[in-house]
Amino acid sequence: MKERLEQLKQEALNKVENAESVQNLKDVRVEYLGKKGPITEVLRGMGKLSKEERPVIGQLANDVRESIAEAIETKQSRLEDAAMEKQLEEESIDVTLPGRPVQIGGPHLLTSIVEEIEDLFIGMGFEIKEGPEVETDYYNFEALNLPKGHPARDMQDSFYITEELLMRTHTSPVQARTMGARNGGEPVKMICPGKVYRRDTDDATHSHQFTQIEGLLVDKNVRMSDLKGVLNAFAKQMFGAEREIRLRPSFFPFTEPSVEMDISCKVCGGEGCSVCKGTGWIEILGGGMVHPNVLEMAGYDPKEYSGFAFGMGPERIAMLKYGVDDIRHFYTNDIRFLEQYHKA
């Protein structure tokens, strides 16, 4: 039995050494170490041995098994390492080649303008508020001093979903909702950016969907001079310290008195040119003192509280600041246009 076990050990080690693949090693393992292998057959004949010989043969059989298993593991490791090296050689990458450039995008011009305006007003202590784009008739009109049948509603013909639901025509409903939530007991200092909708014919200066930013400040002893100071700071920050502003009387149902704000033309410096149509001024936004009816409907006592409100279109701000001549450029996704303002 000793001779037979030594013979099997040598045969197995030779086959392991000559194995050219992991599969060959698996075959050797099954052939010599499996339940039906020759080593197992030898051990089955141990019953014919004396008590003294059995432990000796048993120990030898275990040593043979361990030697074969160890040889298989060692050879398998060598074969796997060789296969990995071959694969690395075949799939090697020339790291000296220049890499493929990755184009990095950036925010849309309107997004940049909105964020710039938000940062400006946050610096002045305003908070950012948002509201639903599908709005009720009450908050879109009635809470802003525009009751049903009011002729000023015709200026904001919108997309109605039902008789009481519509796509909001301005972001003013956010102001009404915010004041209502304070229930007349706390000051309000906010701006509300967002998309608005009006049934307009699209052309170079009009769009059925556009963005708007409105601001509101309600507190005790708020004056028109406070509004002018805020708007003057805004104009100089957005268009340059040399810009001048002027306020002209106007009409809005939710403010009284109401004003339009112009800035001095940056092209001619106020002398008059084709851009400002010879006036030296360019209209930029509207505003005024919050109408007492609006304050009262929101729960504020107009004898104790006052406030100002203003509204602007980021598209118009961007068109004036960067010389864009058609509002539709902002929405047609022409990469040639967008790339010009990638880092604006």
Side-chain angles (χ1 to χ4, degrees), residues 120-121 124 126 175 189-191 214-218 221-235 245-248 250 252 254-261 285-290 306-312:
L120 193 161
F121 280 100
M124 289 192 282
F126 287 74
Q175 299 177 349
K189 193 175 184 182
M190 56 164 283
I191 64 169
E214 299 195 23
L216 174 70
L217 191 154
V218 175
N221 302 317
V222 178
R223 303 178 296 272
M224 177 68 80
S225 57
D226 297 319
L227 171 63
K228 184 177 181 180
V230 168
L231 296 183
N232 187 53
F234 162 76
I245 71 167
R246 74 174 183 182
L247 302 180
R248 294 180 288 105
S250 186
F252 301 108
F254 29 82
T255 53
E256 180 60 38
S258 302
V259 295
E260 297 277 3
M261 188 188 92
L285 57 82
M289 301 303 291
V290 180
S306 57
F308 64 72
F310 57 86
M312 67 187 77

Side-chain angles (χ1 to χ4, degrees), residues 47-63:
K48 300 178 181 179
L49 300 176
S50 65
K51 293 181 180 180
E52 293 78 13
E53 292 177 318
R54 286 177 190 172
V56 175
I57 297 300
Q59 182 61 45
L60 178 60
N62 287 334
D63 292 344

